[in-house]
Amino acid sequence: MAIPSPTSLLVRLPFILSLFTGGWASVNVSMEGRVEVFRGETAQISCMFSSTEGIGGLEFHWFYVTPTNVKQRIYSQQSVYHMVEQRTPFTSRINVTGPGADRELVLTVRDVQVQDELEFICHVKEITGESYQGSTLLKVFETPETPSIDKVTTGISVNSENPTKIGSCEIKNGYPRPNVTWYRDNTPLQNLPNEVAVVSLVTTESTGLFSVTSILNIKLVKEDKDAKFYCEFTFYVPGGTKMTETNRININVQYPATALEVWVEPKDQLIIEGNTVAIHCHSNGNPQPPFTFKHRDNEMKASEQNILVLSAVTRSDGGVYSCSFLDVIDTYEEIANETQFTVHYLDPAELIPEDDHVMLQGDELKATCNALSSLQTHTLWFKNGDQVAEGHTLTLKDVGYDTAGTYDCVVTVPQLEVLKTSRTLKVLVQGPPEITEPVNTAIEETVENTVNLSCHAQGYPAPIITWTTTDAQVLRSVSHIVTEQGVHSVVSVKVTSDITAFCNASNDLGTDSLAFSIKAIKTVSDGPLKKVKKEGSGVIIAVLIICILLLAILGSVLYFLYKKGKIPCGRSGKQDITKSSSTKDNIVVEMKSDNTEEAVLLGVNGDKKPANQQYGEVGEVSVDPMKTEVVKDCSSIDPASSSMFHQ
């Protein structure tokens, strides 16, 4: 869509006034000064007119002005006659509407191109031959592509006499032509003789669009090594302007060195023999010059990165290292600097006396242990993992067998824990055997069992241990171990009777013996145990239950007979009934087992009756011999309350 100019209202004002005042002429034409549109869009150009005679006798014509300033008609209209001129750039792309009641004629141009940026004329002619006209300038715009920037990759010296090209930026396909400005950081660069030169090249594409390439030539200074350069492009759009920027670039600025820095890696760390050391050299210039390394006036070859690498250093590699270069850019003088480092070490420990040392009981020993180091050392003595002394000297007084053993001398460097060395001293105390007496030498053990006897003897030379008994029998040991603490022997003895076993220790300087008394304990036997065969117990219990049931039935029968009068009951008084030995009411049942020849009578209380007291048959009732009161009146007897019936 075409965008009306801000002055369009002012252009229309005379026309509007003429409608009310009648004007100074019979026809008055007014148009906008310019119409703005993007390339490829549709533009609408309006022609406003007024006439005191009406529009019936008016002719309308549209023209455009060629680049050679020639008017070319593209459209004509009279009454109902309309004609688009043929063989013009606009033949197929225009149409006209109006005029209507609003007295407005509109020319529409489709698919506007940059070549259409022309002046368009609206021509109005009266029937009398008088003609009037107005014009509008059609402005076409195209937004350019995203700009790009390239830099010179090779180094640029600050010693160049003239400005040197550092980069170029480009923007393509814009219309009208974009404008470019170079910046250093946030400061715009202007052409300055012998300092800054900006060259811009404009290319007109086949489409009529513009491409702009800008080259920056500048005389660099050392401070430009950190500067950021870029381009800013401004371009027009309908109704205003816009801006876009390129990326930032940094230039490789070359400048001479004035100082040199040398350092050792690893930094802040003590160096020991075997480490790898790197000596770095760096100047404050660009590019870095070739450096020369020296150690004790001997030139040393560095790597391609100007680093001197020393592998598996020794103490002789320590000292002062110098780095230098020749300034061939500016002063042609040698610039140098130096650094130094120390290679720390710890030599193997030296021990006096060395290795094994034999002493007599009661003697005194002073042993020394030390190691040469570039740093302060610390010495500790250990025996069996326990610290026994501190310092370079170990003193042993009035030595005995407990003093004998292996002593470890450990030398360390407190500032470097990785540096450590050690030596071993073996102290041997010469003397006759001494047997360590156990807590208990009197032992009691059951006959036919085996008992283990242990014997530990100290002495040097190492004692020989043998085992014997009182009857001169030699026992063979099952274990025989020789250690720094002495000789340990174990023997197994099978106990058959009381015995005494002897542990005999001997060496070239004497003997020692220890007796073990073993008392044999016999097992006490009571003979074979009689086994009571419990057979038929389940049958007996079953029979007993049956008997109780029979007694209950018998009581019921007696009670029944009593009720029928079969049993007389009328006497009063008391009667003594005698029984041979029992004091309880007994009901006995004769039972026989398949495994016994005797008949057994069980009482109601479960008592066994001897054979000479068994009487009656199964179901007989035994009456208690105690004196029993006979009830005169049998009717007072309740079988349910009778203890006999309950049984």
Side-chain angles (χ1 to χ4, degrees), residues 271-563:
I271 300 170
I272 64 175
E273 289 187 318
N275 285 165
T276 296
V277 176
I279 302 176
H280 295 255
C281 194
H282 191 274
S283 73
N284 63 347
N286 184 47
Q288 295 297 307
F291 299 113
T292 300
F293 291 91
K294 288 185 178 181
H295 178 229
R296 296 174 184 168
D297 295 329
N298 295 321
E299 187 172 323
M300 308 186 73
K301 186 177 179 180
S303 66
E304 295 180 358
Q305 292 77 26
N306 284 331
I307 302 174
L308 179 61
V309 178
L310 305 174
S311 301
V313 295
T314 63
R315 65 194 71 179
S316 62
D317 291 323
V320 177
Y321 286 78
S322 66
C323 173
S324 63
F325 72 94
L326 182 63
D327 180 12
V328 296
I329 298 177
D330 191 12
T331 63
Y332 289 92
E333 294 180 355
E334 185 180 66
I335 299 176
N337 200 352
E338 62 184 26
T339 186
Q340 64 178 352
F341 64 90
T342 301
V343 179
H344 296 284
Y345 58 89
L346 177 65
D347 286 343
E350 295 182 1
L351 179 65
I352 301 175
E354 295 183 351
D355 304 326
D356 297 352
H357 184 69
V358 180
M359 305 176 61
L360 296 176
Q361 287 179 311
D363 284 354
E364 180 177 334
L365 171 65
K366 283 189 177 182
T368 60
C369 180
N370 205 349
L372 184 63
S373 175
S374 57
L375 297 170
Q376 185 68 35
T377 60
H378 184 238
T379 304
L380 293 176
W381 295 83
F382 296 89
K383 182 183 180 184
N384 299 329
D386 297 326
Q387 181 181 330
V388 295
E390 181 177 7
H392 299 305
T393 303
L394 171 68
T395 301
L396 301 177
K397 295 181 179 181
D398 191 20
V399 298
Y401 290 143
D402 293 339
T403 311
T406 300
Y407 293 82
D408 295 316
C409 157
V410 180
V411 182
T412 59
V413 177
Q415 291 179 261
L416 285 168
E417 295 182 357
V418 295
L419 294 181
K420 180 187 293 187
T421 182
S422 63
R423 289 290 299 272
T424 298
L425 172 64
K426 190 172 184 180
V427 176
L428 304 172
V429 178
Q430 196 173 43
E434 288 185 4
I435 297 177
T436 303
E437 186 172 349
V439 176
N440 186 17
T441 57
I443 303 170
E444 293 183 355
E445 187 57 67
T446 305
V447 175
E448 299 300 327
N449 283 354
T450 300
V451 61
N452 290 330
L453 304 178
S454 297
C455 182
H456 182 81
Q458 293 177 303
Y460 185 80
I464 298 174
I465 295 180
T466 58
W467 293 86
T468 58
T469 61
T470 50
D471 56 0
Q473 181 183 357
V474 177
L475 303 177
R476 184 177 179 181
S477 62
V478 296
S479 174
H480 187 82
I481 301 174
V482 179
T483 65
E484 291 182 353
Q485 287 73 37
V487 180
H488 187 79
S489 180
V490 178
V491 70
S492 293
V493 179
K494 186 174 182 180
V495 179
T496 57
S497 61
D498 294 347
I499 187 173
T500 300
F502 297 94
C503 171
N504 307 298
S506 63
N507 65 7
D508 295 342
L509 302 179
T511 61
D512 195 8
S513 180
L514 178 65
F516 293 87
S517 177
I518 304 173
K519 183 178 181 181
I521 302 175
K522 295 182 180 180
T523 303
V524 179
S525 176
D526 295 332
L529 298 176
K530 294 181 179 180
K531 296 182 180 179
V532 179
K533 187 173 182 181
K534 297 181 180 180
E535 299 179 358
S537 59
V539 176
I540 296 174
I541 295 173
V543 172
L544 180 61
I545 295 173
I546 292 172
C547 292
I548 294 173
L549 293 175
L550 290 175
L551 289 175
I553 294 171
L554 179 60
S556 300
V557 172
L558 292 175
Y559 180 74
F560 176 77
L561 293 176
Y562 162 72
K563 286 293 186 178

Side-chain angles (χ1 to χ4, degrees), residues 76-114:
S76 297
Q77 178 179 340
Q78 182 179 4
S79 185
V80 294
Y81 171 75
H82 303 266
M83 184 183 71
V84 176
E85 297 292 334
Q86 300 300 311
R87 294 184 296 278
T88 72
F90 300 99
T91 299
S92 61
R93 295 189 292 127
I94 64 169
N95 68 283
V96 177
T97 58
D102 55 357
R103 309 274 179 107
E104 182 179 13
L105 200 65
V106 178
L107 171 65
T108 301
V109 183
R110 298 181 297 276
D111 190 20
V112 174
Q113 300 300 314
V114 294

Side-chain angles (χ1 to χ4, degrees), residues 233-252:
F233 288 94
T234 57
F235 54 92
Y236 296 96
V237 295
T241 60
K242 286 189 176 181
M243 180 270 293
T244 184
E245 295 178 349
T246 64
N247 295 328
R248 272 67 170 166
I249 61 172
N250 178 250
I251 306 302
N252 181 10

Side-chain angles (χ1 to χ4, degrees), residues 59-266:
E59 293 181 14
F60 302 96
H61 302 276
W62 281 97
F63 298 87
Y64 75 92
V65 180
T66 66
T68 58
N69 203 27
V70 176
K71 289 176 59 176
Q72 176 70 46
R73 184 164 55 192
I74 58 175
Y75 179 81
S76 297
Q77 178 179 340
Q78 182 179 4
S79 185
V80 294
Y81 171 75
H82 303 266
M83 184 183 71
V84 176
E85 297 292 334
Q86 300 300 311
R87 294 184 296 278
T88 72
F90 300 99
T91 299
S92 61
R93 295 189 292 127
I94 64 169
N95 68 283
V96 177
T97 58
D102 55 357
R103 309 274 179 107
E104 182 179 13
L105 200 65
V106 178
L107 171 65
T108 301
V109 183
R110 298 181 297 276
D111 190 20
V112 174
Q113 300 300 314
V114 294
Q115 294 84 356
D116 299 337
E117 188 172 89
L118 301 167
E119 181 183 2
F120 289 84
I121 299 173
C122 176
H123 187 93
V124 181
K125 185 178 180 181
E126 289 183 320
I127 195 171
T128 61
E130 279 302 319
S131 62
Y132 308 90
Q133 68 180 24
S135 66
T136 296
L137 178 62
L138 178 60
K139 295 293 294 182
V140 182
F141 299 89
E142 177 68 15
T143 301
E145 299 174 5
T146 301
S148 62
I149 188 170
D150 294 314
K151 70 175 182 177
V152 176
T153 56
T154 58
I156 301 174
S157 175
V158 297
N159 293 328
S160 299
E161 295 181 358
N162 298 314
T164 305
K165 177 184 175 180
I166 67 167
S168 63
C169 55
E170 183 181 29
I171 194 166
K172 293 182 177 181
N173 298 322
Y175 193 87
R177 185 189 72 183
N179 297 317
V180 60
T181 303
W182 277 91
Y183 282 81
R184 174 166 48 195
D185 293 328
N186 295 320
T187 303
L189 296 173
Q190 303 294 334
N191 284 328
L192 188 64
N194 203 34
E195 295 290 339
V196 180
V198 178
V199 179
S200 296
L201 304 176
V202 180
T203 302
T204 303
E205 308 292 344
S206 60
T207 57
L209 302 177
F210 296 108
S211 296
V212 179
T213 301
S214 182
I215 301 172
L216 175 62
N217 300 276
I218 190 171
K219 190 173 182 180
L220 296 172
V221 294
K222 181 179 178 181
E223 289 71 23
D224 289 331
K225 62 184 179 66
D226 300 318
K228 303 294 183 182
F229 294 88
Y230 66 96
C231 286
E232 176 189 270
F233 288 94
T234 57
F235 54 92
Y236 296 96
V237 295
T241 60
K242 286 189 176 181
M243 180 270 293
T244 184
E245 295 178 349
T246 64
N247 295 328
R248 272 67 170 166
I249 61 172
N250 178 250
I251 306 302
N252 181 10
V253 181
Q254 295 184 347
Y255 47 90
T258 59
L260 199 59
E261 182 184 7
V262 186
W263 71 93
V264 176
E265 288 187 354

